[in-house]
Amino acid sequence: MDTVFLQGLELRSVIGVHAWERAFAQRLKLDLRLAVDTGAAAASDDLADAVDYAALAEQLTQTAAAADCQLIEALADRLAATVLSHAAIQSVDLTLHKPGALPAATDVGVAITRRQQEAP
């Protein structure tokens, strides 16, 4: 299996358990590692045979913007389900960062792995 990756995708979403967190859409960062077979795309040199990561990034941006989660774990799971809605993607390693969540920490977030057979 091969890997397609996307790092540092900026998302905005209403997220948090405190009222002050939920007053506005917060900035989040997303990193993805997608397990795919790139053989057909390499042979054809055709986007139709590849993961269109620009389209996927737009879909993830829209999913995050429409979400209204309290926990970062819930949003990460929704984003992973969005990724796995693409049959060509066998699994996703997803890291969702919530910059500024803790002033004393350089980063806060969650990392999850989901596989195609786990998708709803």
Side-chain angles (χ1 to χ4, degrees), residues 2-13:
D2 305 313
T3 301
V4 172
F5 66 90
L6 191 153
Q7 288 186 251
L9 178 65
E10 284 205 21
L11 305 174
R12 296 195 63 80
S13 188

Side-chain angles (χ1 to χ4, degrees), residues 30-107:
L30 180 65
D31 300 328
L32 299 174
R33 294 185 65 79
L34 313 174
V36 297
D37 181 352
T38 63
S44 70
D45 197 24
D46 187 340
L47 181 59
D49 293 327
V51 172
D52 184 343
Y53 48 81
L56 179 59
E58 180 58 31
Q59 193 177 11
L60 291 164
T61 299
Q62 291 175 6
T63 298
D68 187 3
C69 299
Q70 291 188 30
L71 300 178
I72 196 168
E73 293 88 346
L75 181 55
D77 195 63
R78 286 186 192 182
L79 294 169
T82 297
V83 170
L84 292 177
S85 71
H86 298 266
I89 301 171
Q90 296 303 306
S91 69
V92 57
D93 293 324
L94 181 151
T95 303
L96 186 58
H97 306 262
K98 189 175 176 186
L102 289 176
T106 58
D107 200 7

